[in-house]
Amino acid sequence: MTSLDFVRFNATDNVELQGWLNNETSDITVIHVHGMSGNGYENYFLDNLRQTYAEKGISLFTIDTRGRGIISDFCQNDGWKHAGSCFEIFSESVHDIQGTINYLKTLGKTHFILQGHSLGCTKVINFVLTQDITGIEKIILLAPTDMTGWANTDPKHQQYLAKAKQLIAENKGQELVSAECWLHNTPISAQTYPGLCEAGSPADIYGEREGGALLGKVSLPMLILYGTADIGITEIDGTMNKWLERVSKIKSENTQIAVIDGASHGFRGFEDKLAEVVGDFVA
């Protein structure tokens, strides 16, 4: 096992965040952005990836974003930031990623690979399309969920969207659109809902739009890794072949796709295979 340091650092809007860093000798670091309601340590595949990267002299920094857990509070300046997946505002995710990069630069790191899981993939795509990407070499997307497609699995999606916009207009953004949204029955606030799942929003990385889908606008070398038993595939597209057909039409020529047969959304039981595929990509 590689050694880990617990790290405290600030996002660029002064939200205090935490992360886990194994600091290897090279100036290359993989930054891992977790999924909705997740954190920087719970996925077992992170253990395998940490070892794989360490063998190549690459550091791995897994962070808790402001979307950690369902409801979480973070210190910000002299007060508190109410966040977690229930209250997080998608557009603010760029502060977390940039703050991570800024911290790593103080350690002498100059080259970065951005790695996301689930909703974290969407945050990574949004970052590289809207921010300064100097020093970012590659992108790794582990199970990049179609957030608009996911929202549409709930028959009340349009009702929630209308309610969210009404509450925001009334300056009641922290009120819930529902205590049980979507298939996993999670509470979501009005200020969170449109930014995550409205068609045409920055989080809608698969949706058709002028100039092409956001997923295809990433020119950096990118790996997309998905499992055939992922709920994001089975509930949205039905089959992996249908997802492959859809994504092949929008992806960049610099994007590689890898499929792990039988793997679920968290790749549990398939961590070795995931690490093998990712290791080949970063090599």
Side-chain angles (χ1 to χ4, degrees):
M1 294 293 289
T2 57
S3 61
L4 275 178
D5 293 322
F6 176 69
V7 176
R8 301 182 188 275
F9 65 102
N10 280 6
T12 52
D13 60 352
N14 284 330
V15 170
E16 294 183 13
L17 301 176
Q18 302 84 35
W20 293 262
L21 172 67
N22 65 295
N23 194 357
E24 302 296 333
T25 53
S26 78
D27 62 358
I28 306 173
T29 303
V30 175
I31 298 168
H32 177 76
V33 183
H34 63 75
M36 188 172 183
S37 309
N39 54 53
Y41 53 85
E42 68 182 355
N43 290 115
Y44 279 58
F45 62 73
L46 293 174
D47 300 342
N48 299 68
L49 288 177
R50 186 173 289 112
Q51 191 65 41
T52 295
Y53 292 141
E55 290 169 0
K56 301 176 186 302
I58 299 173
S59 303
L60 175 62
F61 194 22
T62 67
I63 64 170
D64 274 10
T65 73
R66 69 191 64 203
R68 175 190 69 202
I70 295 175
I71 298 176
S72 302
D73 280 342
F74 297 82
C75 291
Q76 184 182 33
N77 301 319
D78 294 326
W80 293 91
K81 177 78 170 178
H82 210 35
S85 65
C86 183
F87 297 105
E88 179 184 27
I89 297 172
F90 179 79
S91 61
E92 294 180 353
S93 63
V94 296
H95 295 301
D96 297 352
I97 297 173
Q98 188 61 58
T100 306
I101 292 171
N102 292 352
Y103 170 75
L104 289 168
K105 285 180 176 179
T106 69
L107 303 181
K109 306 302 182 183
T110 55
H111 299 280
F112 308 99
I113 298 171
L114 297 185
Q115 173 180 290
H117 176 235
S118 192
L119 175 60
C121 301
T122 313
K123 293 177 178 179
V124 165
I125 294 294
N126 179 61
F127 185 87
V128 298
L129 293 181
T130 62
Q131 308 298 308
D132 179 9
I133 59 170
T134 302
I136 297 175
E137 306 284 339
K138 293 182 177 182
I139 306 295
I140 299 170
L141 305 183
L142 306 176
T145 304
D146 177 354
M147 295 306 297
T148 302
W150 182 253
N152 278 316
T153 63
D154 193 318
K156 294 183 179 180
H157 167 52
Q158 291 300 329
Q159 176 184 324
Y160 292 154
L161 191 56
K163 182 179 179 182
K165 291 183 176 182
Q166 179 64 37
L167 287 169
I168 291 170
E170 296 171 358
N171 200 29
K172 299 177 181 176
Q174 293 203 348
E175 290 194 17
L176 300 185
V177 297
S178 175
E180 293 188 345
C181 280
W182 307 340
L183 293 172
H184 48 9
N185 296 330
T186 187
I188 302 181
S189 70
Q191 68 187 24
T192 300
Y193 200 87
L196 280 189
C197 56
E198 184 172 18
S201 71
D204 182 16
I205 61 174
Y206 287 91
E208 295 182 8
R209 66 181 73 210
E210 186 176 353
L214 297 180
L215 191 66
K217 292 185 177 183
V218 178
S219 58
L220 290 168
M222 183 162 69
L223 170 68
I224 299 177
L225 185 58
Y226 237 135
T228 58
D230 193 310
I231 192 171
I233 295 293
T234 58
E235 291 291 338
I236 297 171
D237 292 277
T239 67
M240 176 57 72
N241 284 340
K242 288 184 178 179
W243 178 82
L244 286 169
E245 181 182 348
R246 182 160 69 113
V247 80
S248 65
K249 295 176 182 177
I250 62 176
K251 74 179 185 67
S252 160
E253 62 182 11
N254 292 327
T255 295
Q256 303 175 31
I257 294 176
V259 175
I260 299 181
D261 190 40
S264 64
H265 193 59
F267 299 95
R268 190 70 180 268
F270 294 84
E271 293 89 356
D272 286 343
K273 180 61 178 176
L274 181 150
E276 178 186 341
V277 173
V278 170
D280 289 343
F281 176 71
V282 298

mmCIF file of all heavy atoms in Angstrom, residues 141-185:
data_model
loop_
_atom_site.group_PDB
_atom_site.id
_atom_site.type_symbol
_atom_site.label_atom_id
_atom_site.label_comp_id
_atom_site.label_asym_id
_atom_site.label_seq_id
_atom_site.Cartn_x
_atom_site.Cartn_y
_atom_site.Cartn_z
ATOM 1 N N LEU A 141 -12.881 9.558 -17.647
ATOM 2 C CA LEU A 141 -14.272 9.575 -17.201
ATOM 3 C C LEU A 141 -14.706 8.155 -16.863
ATOM 4 O O LEU A 141 -14.754 7.284 -17.740
ATOM 5 C CB LEU A 141 -15.185 10.154 -18.294
ATOM 6 C CG LEU A 141 -14.846 11.542 -18.854
ATOM 7 C CD1 LEU A 141 -15.910 11.971 -19.859
ATOM 8 C CD2 LEU A 141 -14.708 12.571 -17.741
ATOM 9 N N LEU A 142 -15.008 7.922 -15.597
ATOM 10 C CA LEU A 142 -15.461 6.622 -15.129
ATOM 11 C C LEU A 142 -16.969 6.681 -14.943
ATOM 12 O O LEU A 142 -17.472 7.356 -14.052
ATOM 13 C CB LEU A 142 -14.770 6.267 -13.802
ATOM 14 C CG LEU A 142 -13.228 6.329 -13.818
ATOM 15 C CD1 LEU A 142 -12.680 6.041 -12.426
ATOM 16 C CD2 LEU A 142 -12.647 5.360 -14.849
ATOM 17 N N ALA A 143 -17.696 6.027 -15.834
ATOM 18 C CA ALA A 143 -19.163 5.980 -15.787
ATOM 19 C C ALA A 143 -19.799 7.370 -15.814
ATOM 20 O O ALA A 143 -20.460 7.789 -14.859
ATOM 21 C CB ALA A 143 -19.637 5.201 -14.559
ATOM 22 N N PRO A 144 -19.591 8.127 -16.905
ATOM 23 C CA PRO A 144 -20.142 9.484 -16.990
ATOM 24 C C PRO A 144 -21.653 9.476 -17.236
ATOM 25 O O PRO A 144 -22.105 9.341 -18.373
ATOM 26 C CB PRO A 144 -19.380 10.091 -18.173
ATOM 27 C CG PRO A 144 -19.036 8.918 -19.039
ATOM 28 C CD PRO A 144 -18.788 7.773 -18.099
ATOM 29 N N THR A 145 -22.410 9.670 -16.179
ATOM 30 C CA THR A 145 -23.865 9.594 -16.260
ATOM 31 C C THR A 145 -24.449 10.735 -17.089
ATOM 32 O O THR A 145 -24.025 11.883 -16.973
ATOM 33 C CB THR A 145 -24.481 9.638 -14.847
ATOM 34 O OG1 THR A 145 -23.906 8.585 -14.072
ATOM 35 C CG2 THR A 145 -25.985 9.457 -14.892
ATOM 36 N N ASP A 146 -25.419 10.397 -17.919
ATOM 37 C CA ASP A 146 -26.205 11.405 -18.637
ATOM 38 C C ASP A 146 -27.202 11.980 -17.633
ATOM 39 O O ASP A 146 -28.248 11.401 -17.380
ATOM 40 C CB ASP A 146 -26.923 10.740 -19.812
ATOM 41 C CG ASP A 146 -27.833 11.691 -20.580
ATOM 42 O OD1 ASP A 146 -27.999 12.843 -20.150
ATOM 43 O OD2 ASP A 146 -28.382 11.255 -21.610
ATOM 44 N N MET A 147 -26.876 13.132 -17.050
ATOM 45 C CA MET A 147 -27.692 13.671 -15.964
ATOM 46 C C MET A 147 -29.099 14.052 -16.417
ATOM 47 O O MET A 147 -30.072 13.855 -15.688
ATOM 48 C CB MET A 147 -26.992 14.877 -15.333
ATOM 49 C CG MET A 147 -25.684 14.547 -14.629
ATOM 50 S SD MET A 147 -25.835 13.248 -13.375
ATOM 51 C CE MET A 147 -26.953 14.041 -12.200
ATOM 52 N N THR A 148 -29.227 14.591 -17.627
ATOM 53 C CA THR A 148 -30.556 14.908 -18.143
ATOM 54 C C THR A 148 -31.351 13.633 -18.379
ATOM 55 O O THR A 148 -32.539 13.550 -18.054
ATOM 56 C CB THR A 148 -30.444 15.721 -19.448
ATOM 57 O OG1 THR A 148 -29.700 16.910 -19.194
ATOM 58 C CG2 THR A 148 -31.811 16.093 -19.981
ATOM 59 N N GLY A 149 -30.693 12.635 -18.922
ATOM 60 C CA GLY A 149 -31.349 11.346 -19.117
ATOM 61 C C GLY A 149 -31.753 10.711 -17.802
ATOM 62 O O GLY A 149 -32.835 10.113 -17.679
ATOM 63 N N TRP A 150 -30.897 10.859 -16.797
ATOM 64 C CA TRP A 150 -31.189 10.307 -15.476
ATOM 65 C C TRP A 150 -32.402 10.994 -14.858
ATOM 66 O O TRP A 150 -33.290 10.341 -14.300
ATOM 67 C CB TRP A 150 -29.972 10.443 -14.573
ATOM 68 C CG TRP A 150 -30.135 9.863 -13.214
ATOM 69 C CD1 TRP A 150 -30.279 10.541 -12.040
ATOM 70 C CD2 TRP A 150 -30.186 8.476 -12.872
ATOM 71 N NE1 TRP A 150 -30.407 9.667 -10.990
ATOM 72 C CE2 TRP A 150 -30.355 8.391 -11.467
ATOM 73 C CE3 TRP A 150 -30.109 7.298 -13.609
ATOM 74 C CZ2 TRP A 150 -30.451 7.175 -10.803
ATOM 75 C CZ3 TRP A 150 -30.189 6.079 -12.946
ATOM 76 C CH2 TRP A 150 -30.361 6.033 -11.556
ATOM 77 N N ALA A 151 -32.445 12.328 -14.979
ATOM 78 C CA ALA A 151 -33.589 13.074 -14.448
ATOM 79 C C ALA A 151 -34.885 12.636 -15.123
ATOM 80 O O ALA A 151 -35.942 12.542 -14.487
ATOM 81 C CB ALA A 151 -33.374 14.568 -14.637
ATOM 82 N N ASN A 152 -34.800 12.334 -16.402
ATOM 83 C CA ASN A 152 -35.995 11.932 -17.150
ATOM 84 C C ASN A 152 -36.495 10.541 -16.787
ATOM 85 O O ASN A 152 -37.592 10.154 -17.218
ATOM 86 C CB ASN A 152 -35.722 12.017 -18.659
ATOM 87 C CG ASN A 152 -35.877 13.427 -19.188
ATOM 88 O OD1 ASN A 152 -36.819 14.127 -18.848
ATOM 89 N ND2 ASN A 152 -34.944 13.856 -20.024
ATOM 90 N N THR A 153 -35.727 9.788 -15.987
ATOM 91 C CA THR A 153 -36.248 8.505 -15.498
ATOM 92 C C THR A 153 -37.327 8.723 -14.455
ATOM 93 O O THR A 153 -38.065 7.801 -14.116
ATOM 94 C CB THR A 153 -35.129 7.629 -14.881
ATOM 95 O OG1 THR A 153 -34.568 8.301 -13.731
ATOM 96 C CG2 THR A 153 -34.030 7.353 -15.897
ATOM 97 N N ASP A 154 -37.411 9.957 -13.916
ATOM 98 C CA ASP A 154 -38.464 10.299 -12.956
ATOM 99 C C ASP A 154 -39.612 10.960 -13.715
ATOM 100 O O ASP A 154 -39.418 11.998 -14.353
ATOM 101 C CB ASP A 154 -37.919 11.264 -11.896
ATOM 102 C CG ASP A 154 -38.851 11.424 -10.702
ATOM 103 O OD1 ASP A 154 -40.082 11.523 -10.918
ATOM 104 O OD2 ASP A 154 -38.359 11.456 -9.563
ATOM 105 N N PRO A 155 -40.806 10.384 -13.664
ATOM 106 C CA PRO A 155 -41.935 10.965 -14.402
ATOM 107 C C PRO A 155 -42.297 12.379 -13.957
ATOM 108 O O PRO A 155 -43.001 13.100 -14.665
ATOM 109 C CB PRO A 155 -43.080 9.976 -14.136
ATOM 110 C CG PRO A 155 -42.673 9.211 -12.918
ATOM 111 C CD PRO A 155 -41.185 9.147 -12.947
ATOM 112 N N LYS A 156 -41.799 12.797 -12.788
ATOM 113 C CA LYS A 156 -42.104 14.130 -12.273
ATOM 114 C C LYS A 156 -41.016 15.152 -12.611
ATOM 115 O O LYS A 156 -41.031 16.267 -12.101
ATOM 116 C CB LYS A 156 -42.290 14.069 -10.751
ATOM 117 C CG LYS A 156 -43.503 13.265 -10.306
ATOM 118 C CD LYS A 156 -43.653 13.312 -8.787
ATOM 119 C CE LYS A 156 -44.879 12.529 -8.326
ATOM 120 N NZ LYS A 156 -45.023 12.567 -6.845
ATOM 121 N N HIS A 157 -40.096 14.771 -13.490
ATOM 122 C CA HIS A 157 -38.963 15.640 -13.789
ATOM 123 C C HIS A 157 -39.392 17.046 -14.211
ATOM 124 O O HIS A 157 -38.912 18.042 -13.656
ATOM 125 C CB HIS A 157 -38.093 15.010 -14.867
ATOM 126 C CG HIS A 157 -37.086 15.932 -15.476
ATOM 127 N ND1 HIS A 157 -36.207 16.679 -14.721
ATOM 128 C CD2 HIS A 157 -36.833 16.258 -16.782
ATOM 129 C CE1 HIS A 157 -35.447 17.411 -15.527
ATOM 130 N NE2 HIS A 157 -35.811 17.178 -16.769
ATOM 131 N N GLN A 158 -40.274 17.158 -15.186
ATOM 132 C CA GLN A 158 -40.685 18.484 -15.660
ATOM 133 C C GLN A 158 -41.412 19.267 -14.566
ATOM 134 O O GLN A 158 -41.275 20.485 -14.463
ATOM 135 C CB GLN A 158 -41.558 18.345 -16.911
ATOM 136 C CG GLN A 158 -40.806 17.853 -18.141
ATOM 137 C CD GLN A 158 -39.665 18.773 -18.553
ATOM 138 O OE1 GLN A 158 -39.716 20.000 -18.365
ATOM 139 N NE2 GLN A 158 -38.609 18.195 -19.113
ATOM 140 N N GLN A 159 -42.149 18.549 -13.744
ATOM 141 C CA GLN A 159 -42.832 19.195 -12.603
ATOM 142 C C GLN A 159 -41.807 19.755 -11.622
ATOM 143 O O GLN A 159 -41.937 20.889 -11.139
ATOM 144 C CB GLN A 159 -43.721 18.156 -11.915
ATOM 145 C CG GLN A 159 -44.416 18.641 -10.660
ATOM 146 C CD GLN A 159 -45.204 17.516 -9.991
ATOM 147 O OE1 GLN A 159 -45.784 16.659 -10.646
ATOM 148 N NE2 GLN A 159 -45.201 17.500 -8.669
ATOM 149 N N TYR A 160 -40.774 18.969 -11.321
ATOM 150 C CA TYR A 160 -39.716 19.424 -10.416
ATOM 151 C C TYR A 160 -38.987 20.631 -11.005
ATOM 152 O O TYR A 160 -38.637 21.582 -10.285
ATOM 153 C CB TYR A 160 -38.701 18.300 -10.173
ATOM 154 C CG TYR A 160 -39.226 17.123 -9.397
ATOM 155 C CD1 TYR A 160 -38.647 15.860 -9.557
ATOM 156 C CD2 TYR A 160 -40.276 17.243 -8.494
ATOM 157 C CE1 TYR A 160 -39.097 14.768 -8.846
ATOM 158 C CE2 TYR A 160 -40.739 16.145 -7.778
ATOM 159 C CZ TYR A 160 -40.154 14.909 -7.962
ATOM 160 O OH TYR A 160 -40.605 13.819 -7.261
ATOM 161 N N LEU A 161 -38.731 20.586 -12.309
ATOM 162 C CA LEU A 161 -37.996 21.658 -12.959
ATOM 163 C C LEU A 161 -38.774 22.972 -12.881
ATOM 164 O O LEU A 161 -38.208 24.030 -12.562
ATOM 165 C CB LEU A 161 -37.721 21.280 -14.411
ATOM 166 C CG LEU A 161 -36.740 22.152 -15.192
ATOM 167 C CD1 LEU A 161 -35.394 22.238 -14.496
ATOM 168 C CD2 LEU A 161 -36.582 21.610 -16.612
ATOM 169 N N ALA A 162 -40.060 22.892 -13.139
ATOM 170 C CA ALA A 162 -40.900 24.099 -13.063
ATOM 171 C C ALA A 162 -40.968 24.633 -11.638
ATOM 172 O O ALA A 162 -40.894 25.849 -11.400
ATOM 173 C CB ALA A 162 -42.302 23.782 -13.584
ATOM 174 N N LYS A 163 -41.084 23.720 -10.678
ATOM 175 C CA LYS A 163 -41.137 24.124 -9.273
ATOM 176 C C LYS A 163 -39.827 24.775 -8.849
ATOM 177 O O LYS A 163 -39.820 25.791 -8.136
ATOM 178 C CB LYS A 163 -41.429 22.913 -8.385
ATOM 179 C CG LYS A 163 -41.544 23.254 -6.898
ATOM 180 C CD LYS A 163 -41.871 22.014 -6.071
ATOM 181 C CE LYS A 163 -41.963 22.342 -4.587
ATOM 182 N NZ LYS A 163 -42.242 21.127 -3.774
ATOM 183 N N ALA A 164 -38.707 24.211 -9.307
ATOM 184 C CA ALA A 164 -37.395 24.760 -8.963
ATOM 185 C C ALA A 164 -37.257 26.190 -9.467
ATOM 186 O O ALA A 164 -36.813 27.087 -8.739
ATOM 187 C CB ALA A 164 -36.295 23.887 -9.552
ATOM 188 N N LYS A 165 -37.663 26.409 -10.696
ATOM 189 C CA LYS A 165 -37.531 27.755 -11.274
ATOM 190 C C LYS A 165 -38.441 28.756 -10.559
ATOM 191 O O LYS A 165 -38.061 29.913 -10.360
ATOM 192 C CB LYS A 165 -37.849 27.694 -12.771
ATOM 193 C CG LYS A 165 -36.780 26.948 -13.564
ATOM 194 C CD LYS A 165 -37.073 26.956 -15.044
ATOM 195 C CE LYS A 165 -35.954 26.290 -15.825
ATOM 196 N NZ LYS A 165 -36.200 26.323 -17.277
ATOM 197 N N GLN A 166 -39.630 28.295 -10.138
ATOM 198 C CA GLN A 166 -40.547 29.166 -9.413
ATOM 199 C C GLN A 166 -39.961 29.541 -8.048
ATOM 200 O O GLN A 166 -39.981 30.710 -7.646
ATOM 201 C CB GLN A 166 -41.899 28.482 -9.236
ATOM 202 C CG GLN A 166 -42.926 29.295 -8.464
ATOM 203 C CD GLN A 166 -43.323 30.579 -9.166
ATOM 204 O OE1 GLN A 166 -43.426 30.607 -10.383
ATOM 205 N NE2 GLN A 166 -43.543 31.645 -8.398
ATOM 206 N N LEU A 167 -39.406 28.559 -7.353
ATOM 207 C CA LEU A 167 -38.811 28.811 -6.038
ATOM 208 C C LEU A 167 -37.603 29.735 -6.150
ATOM 209 O O LEU A 167 -37.402 30.626 -5.311
ATOM 210 C CB LEU A 167 -38.428 27.492 -5.375
ATOM 211 C CG LEU A 167 -39.575 26.630 -4.857
ATOM 212 C CD1 LEU A 167 -39.078 25.241 -4.469
ATOM 213 C CD2 LEU A 167 -40.260 27.304 -3.659
ATOM 214 N N ILE A 168 -36.791 29.545 -7.182
ATOM 215 C CA ILE A 168 -35.630 30.412 -7.381
ATOM 216 C C ILE A 168 -36.089 31.846 -7.638
ATOM 217 O O ILE A 168 -35.508 32.805 -7.104
ATOM 218 C CB ILE A 168 -34.766 29.880 -8.543
ATOM 219 C CG1 ILE A 168 -34.088 28.560 -8.143
ATOM 220 C CG2 ILE A 168 -33.711 30.909 -8.945
ATOM 221 C CD1 ILE A 168 -33.422 27.837 -9.284
ATOM 222 N N ALA A 169 -37.129 31.993 -8.434
ATOM 223 C CA ALA A 169 -37.662 33.328 -8.724
ATOM 224 C C ALA A 169 -38.171 34.014 -7.465
ATOM 225 O O ALA A 169 -38.148 35.246 -7.349
ATOM 226 C CB ALA A 169 -38.773 33.227 -9.758
ATOM 227 N N GLU A 170 -38.626 33.204 -6.500
ATOM 228 C CA GLU A 170 -39.129 33.728 -5.225
ATOM 229 C C GLU A 170 -38.028 33.830 -4.177
ATOM 230 O O GLU A 170 -38.304 34.059 -2.995
ATOM 231 C CB GLU A 170 -40.251 32.820 -4.711
ATOM 232 C CG GLU A 170 -41.479 32.793 -5.623
ATOM 233 C CD GLU A 170 -42.486 31.722 -5.208
ATOM 234 O OE1 GLU A 170 -42.200 30.979 -4.229
ATOM 235 O OE2 GLU A 170 -43.545 31.622 -5.856
ATOM 236 N N ASN A 171 -36.761 33.632 -4.610
ATOM 237 C CA ASN A 171 -35.610 33.683 -3.711
ATOM 238 C C ASN A 171 -35.709 32.622 -2.610
ATOM 239 O O ASN A 171 -35.336 32.857 -1.457
ATOM 240 C CB ASN A 171 -35.458 35.085 -3.095
ATOM 241 C CG ASN A 171 -34.050 35.330 -2.570
ATOM 242 O OD1 ASN A 171 -33.084 34.763 -3.074
ATOM 243 N ND2 ASN A 171 -33.947 36.168 -1.554
ATOM 244 N N LYS A 172 -36.210 31.448 -2.990
ATOM 245 C CA LYS A 172 -36.344 30.320 -2.058
ATOM 246 C C LYS A 172 -35.570 29.108 -2.584
ATOM 247 O O LYS A 172 -36.048 27.983 -2.571
ATOM 248 C CB LYS A 172 -37.820 29.955 -1.878
ATOM 249 C CG LYS A 172 -38.683 31.078 -1.299
ATOM 250 C CD LYS A 172 -40.143 30.644 -1.238
ATOM 251 C CE LYS A 172 -41.023 31.765 -0.676
ATOM 252 N NZ LYS A 172 -42.473 31.383 -0.694
ATOM 253 N N GLY A 173 -34.343 29.378 -3.036
ATOM 254 C CA GLY A 173 -33.562 28.337 -3.690
ATOM 255 C C GLY A 173 -33.230 27.141 -2.827
ATOM 256 O O GLY A 173 -32.983 26.052 -3.345
ATOM 257 N N GLN A 174 -33.223 27.311 -1.499
ATOM 258 C CA GLN A 174 -32.851 26.191 -0.634
ATOM 259 C C GLN A 174 -34.053 25.324 -0.244
ATOM 260 O O GLN A 174 -33.885 24.322 0.455
ATOM 261 C CB GLN A 174 -32.111 26.692 0.605
ATOM 262 C CG GLN A 174 -30.748 27.284 0.269
ATOM 263 C CD GLN A 174 -29.785 27.280 1.448
ATOM 264 O OE1 GLN A 174 -30.162 27.037 2.581
ATOM 265 N NE2 GLN A 174 -28.520 27.551 1.159
ATOM 266 N N GLU A 175 -35.229 25.675 -0.710
ATOM 267 C CA GLU A 175 -36.384 24.796 -0.482
ATOM 268 C C GLU A 175 -36.289 23.596 -1.428
ATOM 269 O O GLU A 175 -35.737 23.688 -2.523
ATOM 270 C CB GLU A 175 -37.690 25.557 -0.699
ATOM 271 C CG GLU A 175 -37.973 26.585 0.382
ATOM 272 C CD GLU A 175 -39.411 27.101 0.350
ATOM 273 O OE1 GLU A 175 -40.270 26.446 -0.293
ATOM 274 O OE2 GLU A 175 -39.666 28.153 0.961
ATOM 275 N N LEU A 176 -36.852 22.472 -1.001
ATOM 276 C CA LEU A 176 -36.742 21.249 -1.791
ATOM 277 C C LEU A 176 -37.772 21.209 -2.919
ATOM 278 O O LEU A 176 -38.919 21.609 -2.738
ATOM 279 C CB LEU A 176 -36.946 20.022 -0.901
ATOM 280 C CG LEU A 176 -35.986 19.816 0.274
ATOM 281 C CD1 LEU A 176 -36.285 18.491 0.957
ATOM 282 C CD2 LEU A 176 -34.532 19.886 -0.166
ATOM 283 N N VAL A 177 -37.327 20.709 -4.080
ATOM 284 C CA VAL A 177 -38.313 20.394 -5.117
ATOM 285 C C VAL A 177 -38.984 19.069 -4.778
ATOM 286 O O VAL A 177 -40.123 18.821 -5.146
ATOM 287 C CB VAL A 177 -37.686 20.326 -6.528
ATOM 288 C CG1 VAL A 177 -37.128 21.671 -6.928
ATOM 289 C CG2 VAL A 177 -36.608 19.264 -6.615
ATOM 290 N N SER A 178 -38.251 18.230 -4.042
ATOM 291 C CA SER A 178 -38.807 16.975 -3.543
ATOM 292 C C SER A 178 -37.814 16.353 -2.562
ATOM 293 O O SER A 178 -36.612 16.563 -2.673
ATOM 294 C CB SER A 178 -39.066 15.980 -4.677
ATOM 295 O OG SER A 178 -39.503 14.736 -4.159
ATOM 296 N N ALA A 179 -38.346 15.601 -1.622
ATOM 297 C CA ALA A 179 -37.483 14.857 -0.698
ATOM 298 C C ALA A 179 -37.086 13.507 -1.272
ATOM 299 O O ALA A 179 -36.246 12.819 -0.703
ATOM 300 C CB ALA A 179 -38.192 14.656 0.641
ATOM 301 N N GLU A 180 -37.681 13.123 -2.409
ATOM 302 C CA GLU A 180 -37.393 11.810 -2.991
ATOM 303 C C GLU A 180 -37.367 11.901 -4.519
ATOM 304 O O GLU A 180 -38.291 11.468 -5.198
ATOM 305 C CB GLU A 180 -38.426 10.766 -2.551
ATOM 306 C CG GLU A 180 -38.382 10.438 -1.069
ATOM 307 C CD GLU A 180 -39.288 9.269 -0.693
ATOM 308 O OE1 GLU A 180 -40.146 8.906 -1.507
ATOM 309 O OE2 GLU A 180 -39.107 8.726 0.400
ATOM 310 N N CYS A 181 -36.297 12.473 -5.049
ATOM 311 C CA CYS A 181 -36.153 12.594 -6.496
ATOM 312 C C CYS A 181 -35.490 11.349 -7.082
ATOM 313 O O CYS A 181 -34.627 10.734 -6.456
ATOM 314 C CB CYS A 181 -35.292 13.802 -6.846
ATOM 315 S SG CYS A 181 -36.161 15.373 -6.781
ATOM 316 N N TRP A 182 -35.878 11.030 -8.298
ATOM 317 C CA TRP A 182 -35.190 10.053 -9.116
ATOM 318 C C TRP A 182 -35.208 8.654 -8.501
ATOM 319 O O TRP A 182 -35.833 8.383 -7.489
ATOM 320 C CB TRP A 182 -33.763 10.502 -9.429
ATOM 321 C CG TRP A 182 -33.679 11.874 -10.016
ATOM 322 C CD1 TRP A 182 -34.682 12.569 -10.620
ATOM 323 C CD2 TRP A 182 -32.536 12.727 -10.044
ATOM 324 N NE1 TRP A 182 -34.233 13.789 -11.030
ATOM 325 C CE2 TRP A 182 -32.920 13.924 -10.691
ATOM 326 C CE3 TRP A 182 -31.233 12.593 -9.598
ATOM 327 C CZ2 TRP A 182 -32.033 14.983 -10.903
ATOM 328 C CZ3 TRP A 182 -30.353 13.638 -9.807
ATOM 329 C CH2 TRP A 182 -30.755 14.815 -10.458
ATOM 330 N N LEU A 183 -34.494 7.744 -9.133
ATOM 331 C CA LEU A 183 -34.558 6.334 -8.744
ATOM 332 C C LEU A 183 -33.968 6.073 -7.366
ATOM 333 O O LEU A 183 -34.360 5.133 -6.688
ATOM 334 C CB LEU A 183 -33.828 5.468 -9.782
ATOM 335 C CG LEU A 183 -34.476 5.407 -11.168
ATOM 336 C CD1 LEU A 183 -33.552 4.694 -12.137
ATOM 337 C CD2 LEU A 183 -35.815 4.692 -11.110
ATOM 338 N N HIS A 184 -32.998 6.914 -6.940
ATOM 339 C CA HIS A 184 -32.381 6.648 -5.637
ATOM 340 C C HIS A 184 -32.991 7.509 -4.531
ATOM 341 O O HIS A 184 -32.447 7.579 -3.438
ATOM 342 C CB HIS A 184 -30.860 6.786 -5.683
ATOM 343 C CG HIS A 184 -30.344 8.024 -6.344
ATOM 344 N ND1 HIS A 184 -31.137 9.072 -6.721
ATOM 345 C CD2 HIS A 184 -29.077 8.360 -6.697
ATOM 346 C CE1 HIS A 184 -30.390 10.013 -7.279
ATOM 347 N NE2 HIS A 184 -29.139 9.614 -7.274
ATOM 348 N N ASN A 185 -34.138 8.141 -4.804
ATOM 349 C CA ASN A 185 -34.928 8.827 -3.772
ATOM 350 C C ASN A 185 -34.093 9.775 -2.919
ATOM 351 O O ASN A 185 -34.015 9.635 -1.702
ATOM 352 C CB ASN A 185 -35.624 7.797 -2.873
ATOM 353 C CG ASN A 185 -36.630 6.960 -3.638
ATOM 354 O OD1 ASN A 185 -37.224 7.424 -4.614
ATOM 355 N ND2 ASN A 185 -36.825 5.727 -3.212
#
